[in-house]
Amino acid sequence: MAARALPEVNIDDKVFTLKYYVDEQKSHLSLRDPGLCLKCAQKPCLSFCPVGVYRLDAQGQVVVGYQACVECGSCRVACPLHNIKWDYPRGGYGVAYKFG
Ligand code: SF4
Ligand code: SF4
């Protein structure tokens, strides 16, 4: 049986349908040791996060824009140095998927 091609998905179109309830008082994810990221050669977090929460600043340090997290859970398992502390957002905060 021939494999069927998957439909193309534009992540920006999907993200546009989400609603965020951002907790400005408390981030639900953080780096356990930011210095450890400097020793991480591949920095896979820069590519496995579907919405670009992890970015490099001008000094080459990984910075976390937790407000954009869609709670996919990837960074709980995909950081090779287990350097990401991730919890669900507090009640009433986080992403809502019911808008699209
Ligand atoms: S994958 Fe983990 S250790 Fe590596 S740069 Fe990203 S957060 Fe830091
Ligand atoms: S849980 Fe998913 S969306 Fe949120 S920061 Fe981790 S990889 Fe990105």
Side-chain angles (χ1 to χ4, degrees), residues 26 36-37:
K26 185 175 185 290
L36 194 56
C37 295

Side-chain angles (χ1 to χ4, degrees), residues 29 48-51 53-54 69-75 86:
L29 69 154
F48 67 61
C49 177
V51 288
V53 162
Y54 301 93
C69 176
V70 294
E71 301 170 31
C72 74
S74 298
C75 55
W86 195 100

Side-chain angles (χ1 to χ4, degrees), residues 11-54:
I11 190 73
D12 291 335
D13 290 344
K14 296 298 180 186
V15 170
F16 185 70
T17 67
L18 304 178
K19 183 161 179 59
Y20 291 91
Y21 299 93
V22 175
D23 187 346
E24 301 288 358
Q25 307 300 316
K26 185 175 185 290
S27 171
H28 66 290
L29 69 154
S30 59
L31 301 174
R32 295 180 196 281
D33 175 3
L36 194 56
C37 295
L38 298 172
K39 301 173 187 166
C40 178
Q42 301 298 325
K43 294 182 175 42
C45 59
L46 302 180
S47 53
F48 67 61
C49 177
V51 288
V53 162
Y54 301 93

Side-chain angles (χ1 to χ4, degrees), residues 2-4 27 30 37 42 55 57 65 83-85 87 92 94 100:
R4 281 192 294 170
S27 171
S30 59
C37 295
Q42 301 298 325
R55 296 177 188 268
D57 69 11
N83 196 29
I84 299 170
K85 184 176 182 301
D87 295 303

